[in-house]
Amino acid sequence: MKRTHLRQLEKTMKKSLLLALLGLSTVPALAQAPQGAPQQSTAGMAAPRGNATIVGIVQDADTKKPVEFATVALISLATGKPIDGAMADDKGRFTISKVGIGKYRLQVSFLGYQQKLVEDVTVSSDNASVNVGAVAIASDAKQLGEVVITGEKPLVEEKIDRTVYNAEKDITNSGGNAADVLQKVPSLALDNDGNVQLRGSSNVRVLINNKPSAIMAGSVADALKQIPADQIKSVEVITSPSAKYDAEGTAGIINIITKKDGGLQGVTGSVAATAGTRGSNANASLNIRRGKLGINGTFGGNMFYNHGNMTNTIFAGNTTSNQFGKTRINGKFMNALVGFDYDLTPKNNISGSIRSNGGTFRMENDQEVTSREGDNLIQDFRNEIRNRNQRIGTDYNLDYTRTFSKQGQELALLSLYSVTNTDNDIRQDYLNEGNDPYLLKRNLNEGANKELTFQADYTHPFANKTILELGAKSIFRDVESDALYRDILNSGDETRRIDAFFYEQDVYSTYMTYGFMLKKKLNVKMGGRYEFTDIHADLQGDNDYSLDYDNFIPSVALSYNLKQKHTFRANFTQRIQRPSLFYLNPYVQEQTSNTRVQGNPRLDAELTDLFELGYSTFFKTTSINVTGYVRHTDNAIETVATIDRETDASGLPVDVTTLSFDNIAKNKTYGVSLFGNTKPTNNWTIGGSSNFYFVDLNGKYASNSGWMYNINANSSYTFGKGITAQFNGGFNSRRIQLLGEFAAFSYHTIAIKKELFDKKGGISLGLDNPFRESMRMRNDVRVEESPTNPRAYSQEIRINNFNRGFRVSFDYRFGKMDQQRAPKRKKSIRNDDAKQGDGNGMN
């Protein structure tokens, strides 16, 4: 009885998947997720009904083995539209019943195979039984019995709503981290600390697999160093998100997609390791799918190490302070993920995962410090700085998806809980050469960021490519910070001070979008999103406050296709940028003896208007995309600086600079981005991107403006016999900010890879900046006298970073699939709503 019941259940599941697969089978690339639907005539398509049947068998053209779950669509020659169909059973057999008299063609397709048409299928009588025999479909992939290697993707793809950089196709990424990957993505730029900018703005939201991650709650620059490049499949850049997305991230969204099994049946896995002069890592993955249950896991570790030197000169009136010394940087991180998905029924799926990232970042900086007032030397000491940042973040998610009979109709209920714990320990020893320290500074900050998110999304398609999307979401966010400051004199005397900070932010939102097509060429998508934000903050002492506000965020997107080769796009949306823990935390981080960074818990959210006009085309082996954009922010969060005259432990005066943040500026940015790629020969690919923009910053007491740009170029060549070479390089101009200008920088990488073990593995050699031993950068800051800063000053920072490197990498993929299973497209939470911090106190 149990076996019979399971057999009936299996048949019911196969029938339930049919209609969605039929809809997908009319598209040449059958790579999208099948949505459950019962076996019946396609809705809305009239067809003659009868009692005839059409039968046949689907086989692999090479092995002659049956292709299980293959989709067979019955297409009327009169209308050219699918009117019915069937799914092959475990023997490859299919039957289409209740077919009327007429002439038809069969369209047979399955993931990983080329589409096959069976012409001239004629039903001449009402009770006929037509046997088309064996239908052989050819493989569209190599090594179907082993790990599937699909057709080549271009390095950069332009889709209707995003740009996709296929990181797994770039062998220069092997052995690096996420920061190395992102600097090669069109429209993105990173400085030498790993701080990411999108079209010149650092107000971006970084997601991992369409979800927010706990590790991004603090410093994005530090978080990117924790993610190995070998685990990244692609990076998506969404510059004009619709109302369906959270309204935060004024410049847009960066979505890092990691490698996973993609729904393949069987057991697969991979291992990879890299050793280099600047960093090393190792990681492994394992994916198991049996029937309705899939389990996947990854684990990895990476470390990096580098060194450089720096000089920092501050001019304040007739006082000059100099710091110069050497810096050593290293970090060790781990990452792990365990996930599952289970098909409760053909229309109901549940999935979940636990992802954890953590590690320690250390910086040692030994400085010689001098200060002069006119010609008089007033300070001369040595400062030994030991900075340790320790963090661990964990994300827990549980999702439920329900599909319906109508293709594309879907309900998703999503939940996510993220927690990040941070520990920042800064130790400074002040001493005169040859003597014991006369002052020890020991500052410790323990912080936590917790987020609980619930989300519901519903999609309802109509006729004529019209679609309605509705949804609601709640985010409950708690931020905590406890700080301890200790000054210990050589006499044994000690002073202590503590700070405590608690920040609660709840965001409630709902959205609706409506998309439709006019005259089969103009796609229109309009939407609106309403968000209500409730804030409570508890600072040390009696500095508690509460605040709430609401926003309505419209979005409009137009896309027009001309002759199938030319696409014109226009977009408008508004974006909100709420400050994250990095900007809010009032903890005073003493980076050097005279430089501090402190957050501002009273920051307001930014509101930005974003306009885009774009054009893309392709011809033969060449594609080109150009986009113009305008971005206006009225209350931009910018770095503010004050300089104060304090007395040090020896009783001497010293000028101390404090960097913080405030809503003080209007930011107007006008730019154009361009990228393209071409294949001069079948073995040679050339691509590149550029972004030119003008920024105009106006604050209460300062202003700055100017042109900036960044350029990236890449090229790859396949020599045959499994040997591939690749080059990637880029240049970023100086960065203009409200307080000054920050360094231009460049990079270039060269790699060569040899495939091994019948293309299941490979070894690669990579060179980072081989033609330059070190990179010299200059940052200039100017602060005018103002009511908030009674003393004007200027600062010159000169950095020499040794970034030439060599690495060797090895990877191997193993496993055998029993059959192929078309992956379901998973809904996921996107908390695109917090302004995330960089790694150096400057945004």
Side-chain angles (χ1 to χ4, degrees):
M1 288 293 292
K2 289 184 178 179
R3 182 170 297 180
T4 302
H5 175 73
L6 291 174
R7 190 69 177 173
Q8 289 297 116
L9 180 59
E10 180 181 344
K11 290 182 178 179
T12 302
M13 290 174 62
K14 292 179 180 179
K15 290 181 180 180
S16 301
L17 290 170
L18 174 61
L19 185 58
L21 289 173
L22 284 175
L24 290 170
S25 68
T26 61
V27 182
L30 181 59
Q32 299 299 320
Q35 311 295 339
Q39 183 171 345
Q40 58 185 17
S41 296
T42 305
M45 296 185 181
R49 307 299 291 173
N51 296 313
T53 59
I54 299 173
V55 299
I57 298 176
V58 183
Q59 294 181 346
D60 186 294
D62 296 323
T63 66
K64 305 304 179 184
K65 292 182 178 180
V67 178
E68 186 178 1
F69 300 130
T71 304
V72 184
L74 179 65
I75 300 174
S76 170
L77 292 182
T79 64
K81 296 180 179 180
I83 60 173
D84 209 336
M87 179 184 292
D89 63 14
D90 56 353
K91 303 296 184 182
R93 300 170 301 195
F94 66 89
T95 300
I96 304 176
S97 304
K98 297 183 180 181
V99 181
I101 298 173
K103 293 185 177 182
Y104 306 92
R105 72 163 58 97
L106 298 179
Q107 182 174 279
V108 184
S109 54
F110 188 66
L111 181 67
Y113 287 85
Q114 298 176 17
Q115 191 178 88
K116 178 69 176 286
L117 294 177
V118 180
E119 303 286 355
D120 300 325
V121 179
T122 302
V123 176
S124 56
S125 64
D126 189 51
N127 294 314
S129 178
V130 180
N131 190 339
V132 298
V135 181
I137 56 177
S139 170
D140 195 27
K142 301 176 182 179
Q143 300 181 12
L144 288 178
E146 300 296 333
V147 178
V148 175
I149 301 174
T150 59
E152 289 296 313
K153 288 184 179 181
L155 190 61
V156 178
E157 295 179 277
E158 178 67 15
K159 298 188 177 182
I160 190 168
D161 63 341
R162 67 196 65 198
T163 299
V164 180
Y165 168 73
N166 293 303
E168 62 182 347
K169 297 299 178 184
D170 191 341
I171 63 175
T172 64
N173 290 326
S174 181
N177 56 43
D180 300 319
V181 174
L182 263 61
Q183 72 178 355
K184 304 170 187 176
V185 179
S187 300
L188 299 187
L190 278 80
D191 62 20
N192 200 53
D193 295 316
N195 305 312
V196 63
Q197 291 188 332
L198 172 54
R199 290 177 174 173
S201 173
S202 60
N203 297 339
V204 298
R205 183 60 165 165
V206 181
L207 307 177
I208 299 177
N209 294 329
N210 300 313
K211 300 180 178 71
S213 178
I215 65 170
M216 298 293 176
S219 168
V220 175
D222 290 345
L224 293 176
K225 295 183 178 74
Q226 300 182 32
I227 305 173
D230 294 313
Q231 292 187 4
I232 298 175
K233 179 181 179 182
S234 61
V235 178
E236 300 176 345
V237 178
I238 308 171
T239 56
S240 186
S242 71
K244 185 175 182 178
Y245 293 88
D246 287 341
E248 298 211 33
T250 55
I253 296 169
I254 301 170
N255 187 24
I256 299 173
I257 305 296
T258 59
K259 297 176 182 177
K260 46 194 172 184
D261 70 321
L264 296 172
Q265 290 282 344
V267 179
T268 62
S270 65
V271 292
T274 296
T277 58
R278 297 177 59 208
S280 300
N281 66 65
N283 56 80
S285 67
L286 181 66
N287 307 291
I288 303 171
R289 177 167 292 281
R290 295 297 184 191
K292 298 182 291 184
L293 176 64
I295 298 174
N296 65 292
T298 62
F299 180 80
N302 67 304
M303 54 185 177
F304 62 88
Y305 22 82
N306 205 355
H307 67 284
N309 52 63
M310 181 187 72
T311 63
N312 181 10
T313 306
I314 298 176
F315 304 93
N318 67 339
T319 302
T320 303
S321 298
N322 289 284
Q323 297 175 343
F324 59 93
K326 297 180 178 180
T327 301
R328 295 170 299 281
I329 299 172
N330 68 83
K332 297 179 181 179
F333 303 101
M334 56 73 63
N335 62 88
L337 177 142
V338 176
F340 81 96
D341 70 270
Y342 182 74
D343 295 324
L344 299 170
T345 71
K347 295 182 181 180
N348 296 270
N349 176 273
I350 186 171
S351 62
S353 68
I354 301 175
R355 173 189 295 274
S356 184
N357 292 73
T360 303
F361 171 83
R362 300 177 187 274
M363 182 181 70
E364 298 179 0
N365 194 350
D366 296 332
Q367 298 182 346
E368 299 292 337
V369 182
T370 61
S371 295
R372 294 181 179 274
E373 195 160 21
D375 294 330
N376 299 321
L377 181 66
I378 58 175
Q379 272 192 329
D380 185 2
F381 63 91
R382 181 179 178 84
N383 187 18
E384 297 178 352
I385 305 171
R386 303 294 181 265
N387 187 346
R388 187 200 69 188
N389 279 295
Q390 200 167 31
R391 65 168 60 226
I392 183 167
T394 306
D395 306 321
Y396 309 85
N397 76 281
L398 184 63
D399 305 330
Y400 166 76
T401 304
R402 161 76 161 138
T403 57
F404 298 86
S405 299
K406 180 177 290 188
Q407 173 67 22
Q409 186 179 4
E410 185 176 84
L411 172 67
L413 303 177
L414 315 172
S415 63
L416 173 71
Y417 179 65
S418 297
V419 57
T420 301
N421 293 308
T422 61
D423 183 357
N424 176 239
D425 186 0
I426 299 180
R427 298 169 177 260
Q428 298 190 53
D429 294 358
Y430 293 75
L431 64 154
N432 296 312
E433 197 66 40
N435 297 324
D436 292 333
Y438 60 85
L439 172 64
L440 303 178
K441 282 183 173 288
R442 302 291 185 259
N443 296 343
L444 179 65
N445 177 224
E446 295 180 349
N449 189 94
K450 301 176 182 178
E451 293 185 12
L452 177 62
T453 306
F454 298 103
Q455 179 175 331
D457 295 303
Y458 176 69
T459 303
H460 192 98
F462 299 93
N464 301 321
K465 296 185 178 181
T466 300
I467 189 166
L468 175 69
E469 296 175 316
L470 302 168
K473 184 175 184 179
S474 297
I475 306 174
F476 306 97
R477 183 176 289 127
D478 292 340
V479 176
E480 299 178 60
S481 172
D482 293 301
L484 171 64
Y485 308 90
R486 300 171 60 202
D487 289 351
I488 307 171
L489 300 176
N490 57 0
S491 62
D493 295 336
E494 178 180 342
T495 60
R496 291 189 173 208
R497 182 169 62 88
I498 60 172
D499 271 336
F501 169 61
F502 178 77
Y503 185 88
E504 183 181 63
Q505 181 190 86
D506 299 334
V507 181
Y508 307 90
S509 60
T510 184
Y511 73 88
M512 181 179 73
T513 70
Y514 184 68
F516 56 93
M517 177 176 286
L518 296 176
K519 297 184 178 181
K520 297 183 179 181
K521 290 187 176 181
L522 179 63
N523 286 289
V524 181
K525 189 170 187 178
M526 301 182 296
R529 185 180 187 93
Y530 173 79
E531 295 191 350
F532 177 80
T533 305
D534 188 24
I535 296 173
H536 300 278
D538 183 3
L539 285 75
Q540 188 77 14
D542 297 324
N543 295 319
D544 301 351
Y545 72 93
S546 298
L547 174 70
D548 62 72
Y549 56 88
D550 59 353
N551 300 92
F552 177 76
I553 307 299
S555 67
V556 179
L558 306 175
S559 175
Y560 181 79
N561 294 314
L562 180 64
K563 297 181 179 180
Q564 302 299 318
K565 289 187 177 182
H566 307 277
T567 302
F568 300 85
R569 298 189 312 276
N571 298 286
F572 166 74
T573 187
Q574 285 186 332
R575 306 293 293 165
I576 299 173
Q577 195 74 54
R578 298 182 182 92
S580 68
L581 173 62
F582 177 83
Y583 291 93
L584 296 168
N585 191 353
Y587 166 65
V588 179
Q589 185 180 120
E590 297 190 11
Q591 294 188 334
T592 67
S593 60
N594 60 359
T595 303
R596 302 168 181 169
V597 177
Q598 182 179 24
N600 178 2
R602 297 185 180 276
L603 287 173
D604 292 329
E606 298 176 338
L607 185 62
T608 297
D609 293 328
L610 178 62
F611 305 84
E612 281 188 352
L613 286 174
Y615 167 75
S616 61
T617 186
F618 66 91
F619 47 93
K620 294 184 178 179
T621 60
T622 302
S623 63
I624 298 174
N625 177 280
V626 59
T627 303
Y629 59 92
V630 177
R631 190 170 58 233
H632 285 181
T633 305
D634 285 335
N635 60 337
I637 297 174
E638 291 287 340
T639 302
V640 295
T642 57
I643 186 167
D644 299 300
R645 177 62 63 88
E646 298 182 0
T647 302
D648 67 7
S650 58
L652 297 174
V654 59
D655 291 325
V656 177
T657 302
T658 300
L659 303 176
S660 189
F661 313 98
D662 206 350
N663 301 94
I664 61 167
K666 292 186 176 182
N667 185 331
K668 297 180 180 180
T669 302
Y670 311 88
V672 58
S673 59
L674 172 70
F675 85 84
N677 54 68
T678 187
K679 294 192 70 171
T681 69
N682 289 334
N683 296 333
W684 187 19
T685 301
I686 301 174
S689 64
S690 60
N691 182 39
F692 298 87
Y693 55 103
F694 181 84
V695 62
D696 184 16
L697 296 167
N698 288 284
K700 293 180 180 179
Y701 310 114
S703 62
N704 203 2
S705 63
W707 284 96
M708 290 181 282
Y709 63 91
N710 56 276
I711 300 172
N712 172 270
N714 61 79
S715 181
S716 64
Y717 192 86
T718 301
F719 295 94
K721 297 183 179 180
I723 301 176
T724 305
Q726 207 155 28
F727 167 84
N728 200 307
F731 178 82
N732 288 11
S733 72
R734 59 176 186 159
R735 290 180 297 145
I736 294 174
Q737 297 196 2
L738 189 64
L739 297 182
E741 299 175 0
F742 290 78
F745 66 95
S746 63
Y747 62 90
H748 59 281
T749 57
I750 301 173
I752 186 168
K753 181 175 183 178
K754 175 68 171 74
E755 293 180 333
L756 303 172
F757 311 115
D758 199 18
K759 297 186 178 181
K760 289 185 288 186
I763 186 169
S764 62
L765 304 177
L767 295 173
D768 298 326
N769 307 295
F771 306 115
R772 180 187 63 207
E773 181 184 13
S774 62
M775 180 168 56
R776 293 174 173 83
M777 299 180 294
R778 53 182 298 165
N779 299 334
D780 296 315
V781 177
R782 301 179 304 274
V783 179
E784 303 296 333
E785 182 178 330
S786 68
T788 60
N789 182 55
R791 299 184 65 202
Y793 80 94
S794 62
Q795 185 176 13
E796 297 177 354
I797 303 172
R798 302 295 180 260
I799 301 171
N800 187 30
N801 188 12
F802 293 88
N803 59 1
R804 177 186 289 170
F806 170 80
R807 63 183 184 271
V808 57
S809 302
F810 172 80
D811 67 274
Y812 179 74
R813 298 174 298 279
F814 61 89
K816 185 177 181 66
M817 269 74 72
D818 303 322
Q819 64 189 31
Q820 294 195 29
R821 170 184 182 268
K824 291 187 176 183
R825 179 175 60 89
K826 301 295 184 185
K827 294 283 187 177
S828 58
I829 286 177
R830 303 169 183 257
N831 285 358
D832 321 308
D833 70 323
K835 181 181 179 74
Q836 297 162 322
D838 58 26
N840 60 8
M842 309 300 284
N843 64 318

